[in-house]
Amino acid sequence: MQDNEIIELYFARDEQAIVETDKMYGAACMRVSLNILNSRSDAEECVNDTYLKAWNSIPPQRPNILKAFLCRITRNLSLTRYRHLHRAGRNIDLEVSFEELEACIPVPEEQSTLLAGYISDFLKREDKQDRLLFMGRYFHACSAKELAQRLGMSESNVNVRLYRTRERLRTYLLERGCGV
Amino acid sequence: MKGITAFTCISDVDESLIAESLSIFESPYVAAIKAYRSERRRAFFQSPLWAAMICAVVSLSILSAIVMAGNGVFTPPANTTPPEITATETDTEEPTEPETERRPASTYHSDWQVGTPVDPTPQPPTVPEVTIDWNGFLPGYGSPPTIDIEPTVPRPNIPGQNNSSGPIRNPNLNPNPGFP
C-alpha cells in the first residue's frame, strides 16, 4: 500500500491505517527505538505509542513522507523514555553520541527549530556519504561499527569522516552566530 | 546525560534527509536494484523510443483490423452451408490393410534403406591376435630378468639333531646357549 492510501485511511478514521502502518514501517520504527533504548520491550511500547500519536496527529497534519514522520515521532518518544529510564551506563554508545554532538551543537533548547533548520541546510550541502553517516549516527543512533558494516567502510574511516563533518558543522554554526 | 538536547535537536531536521538516511538500512543489493530500476524507467520514458513504440502498436492494431475486415473475418460468408456427409457402401466395409512384409525388430537399423538387407545375426566380436613367445612375455617387452639364486648348501647330516626342517645351523655352535 502506498503512503497516500495509508494517510487517507487515517483521514477516514479507519483503524486499518494502524495495521498498514505497522506492516510498512513497523520494522523501521522498531530499529530507531531499539538503537536508543537498547531494550526490546521498551522499544515495542514506544512503537505502539508512535502509532497512537500518528493516529491523533495525522488529521489535521498530512505528512509528506510518512516514513520520516513516523521515525521522527518514534525517535522523540524513545528519547523521552530514555530520559525517564536513564541510568548510568544504560546505553554507552548513545552517551558517546550525545557527547560528540555537544561539542559542536549549542545546548539551548529554545533555538531547537532554528538549529534544526541550519543543520538541515548544512547536511544538504554535504557529500551524500557524509550525510548518511551523520544521520545514521546522530538520528538513528547507530554505532560506528554498524555504519561501517552497512556502508562498506572501515570503522576508523567512519569515525574520521564523522569527526570532520562535526568540525565543519561547528564552523558552519559559528558563522551563523549560534556556535559553541 | 550531557548533550541529549543537541541530540534531540536532530529530530527536527528536514524529512527528506530522514527518508534518505533510511536507505542505510536497506541491503546494498536491494538499494542497488532499486536505483538501477528507477534509472532504467526514467531513461525509458525520456527516450523517443517510448513514443515510437506507442505509435507502432497503435498503427499495427489499426492495420490488422483493416486487414481482417478486408478478409471477411468479421462477417461470415453468405450461402455457405456445411457439406452433408452421407454414408456409402464403401464406408461400411472394413478397410483392408495391404499385406506388407514386416521386418523383425532386431533388424532395425537407423541407416536402413529399401533394398539394402541387413544381416540379423550378430557378428561375433573380433579378438586381436597376440603372439606370445615361449617365455610367456609379450613380444617387444624384452626378455625376463635373470635372477641369480645361489645353490643351496646341502644340509649336513648331524647325528643327534633334528635334521628334518628348520634353519641351517652351524654345527660348531652350542645348540643350547647358556649351558656349557
Side-chain angles (χ1 to χ4, degrees):
Chain A
M1 190 175 268
Q2 299 293 318
D3 278 6
N4 288 337
E5 293 168 325
I6 297 175
I7 290 169
E8 287 307 321
L9 287 177
Y10 275 106
F11 270 85
R13 311 313 290 162
D14 187 346
E15 289 183 8
Q16 185 66 22
I18 304 290
V19 178
E20 295 299 331
T21 305
D22 187 47
K23 260 191 223 169
M24 293 287 289
Y25 304 121
C29 293
M30 189 70 187
R31 196 186 306 110
V32 169
S33 187
L34 204 54
N35 280 344
I36 293 170
L37 292 170
N38 210 12
S39 158
R40 180 159 284 276
S41 57
D42 290 339
E44 280 172 1
E45 280 189 40
C46 270
V47 172
N48 288 333
D49 290 347
T50 302
Y51 298 150
L52 179 64
K53 195 158 186 177
W55 178 262
N56 288 334
S57 61
I58 280 191
Q61 286 190 60
R62 184 180 281 274
N64 293 324
I65 306 168
L66 184 61
K67 191 197 274 189
F69 179 80
L70 293 169
C71 281
R72 177 182 285 162
I73 294 174
T74 310
R75 187 177 189 272
N76 287 335
L77 288 173
S78 301
L79 283 172
T80 308
R81 196 174 188 84
Y82 184 83
R83 278 187 179 132
H84 180 67
L85 298 171
H86 176 68
R87 292 197 303 267
R90 186 177 170 87
N91 189 344
I92 299 292
D93 201 49
L94 192 63
E95 297 287 332
V96 174
S97 292
F98 293 166
E99 288 172 15
E100 285 172 357
L101 268 189
E102 193 190 21
C104 65
I105 297 177
V107 174
E109 204 162 350
E110 58 272 11
Q111 294 182 353
S112 175
T113 313
L114 181 68
L115 270 175
Y118 284 148
I119 293 168
S120 298
D121 293 341
F122 167 76
L123 287 175
K124 282 175 186 171
R125 295 184 344 169
E126 285 289 297
D127 178 49
K128 186 181 177 184
Q129 190 87 341
D130 290 332
R131 203 160 55 225
L132 288 178
L133 283 173
F134 189 91
M135 290 297 287
R137 178 79 175 131
Y138 301 119
F139 186 89
H140 298 287
C142 294
S143 65
K145 188 178 179 182
E146 187 185 352
L147 285 174
Q149 284 173 351
R150 290 194 180 275
L151 296 174
M153 304 162 72
S154 68
E155 196 177 335
S156 59
N157 193 11
V158 169
N159 285 325
V160 167
R161 291 186 81 149
L162 279 173
Y163 173 75
R164 288 177 183 162
T165 308
R166 283 199 310 271
E167 285 300 303
R168 285 195 295 273
L169 175 62
R170 197 168 68 87
T171 312
Y172 183 84
L173 292 176
L174 266 174
E175 285 169 1
R176 275 144 192 84
C178 51
V180 176
Chain B
M1 217 169 5
K2 288 157 63 179
I4 196 167
T5 312
F7 196 80
T8 310
C9 178
I10 304 288
S11 294
D12 296 329
V13 295
D14 199 12
E15 279 188 350
S16 61
L17 292 170
I18 299 171
E20 184 194 56
S21 67
L22 284 166
S23 67
I24 298 171
F25 303 106
E26 293 174 355
S27 68
Y29 177 75
V30 174
I33 289 288
K34 276 186 180 175
Y36 173 75
R37 282 183 182 164
S38 64
E39 184 63 31
R40 283 289 301 273
R41 199 178 299 120
R42 191 166 62 243
F44 178 73
F45 283 110
Q46 282 177 355
S47 68
L49 182 70
W50 173 241
M53 268 182 74
I54 289 178
C55 289
V57 168
V58 169
S59 57
L60 270 176
S61 57
I62 292 169
L63 196 66
S64 59
I66 291 168
V67 168
M68 281 192 289
N71 287 340
V73 172
F74 299 128
T75 53
N79 300 327
T80 52
T81 54
E84 291 180 2
I85 300 169
T86 54
T88 57
E89 288 183 358
T90 54
D91 291 337
T92 57
E93 293 176 359
E94 289 186 359
T96 55
E97 290 184 359
E99 291 182 359
T100 55
E101 188 180 351
R102 291 179 181 272
R103 55 192 166 89
S106 60
T107 62
Y108 177 79
H109 193 268
S110 61
D111 294 332
W112 192 82
Q113 292 176 349
V114 177
T116 58
V118 179
D119 189 6
T121 56
Q123 294 294 326
T126 57
V127 180
E129 291 184 1
V130 179
T131 56
I132 302 173
D133 67 352
W134 62 275
N135 276 329
F137 288 88
L138 292 173
Y141 286 89
S143 56
T146 56
I147 301 168
D148 294 333
I149 301 171
E150 292 183 357
T152 55
V153 180
R155 184 184 296 277
N157 193 6
I158 301 168
Q161 288 188 357
N162 184 11
N163 296 316
S164 62
S165 64
I168 301 169
R169 295 182 180 184
N170 190 347
N172 296 326
L173 293 176
N174 187 1
N176 296 318
F179 293 95

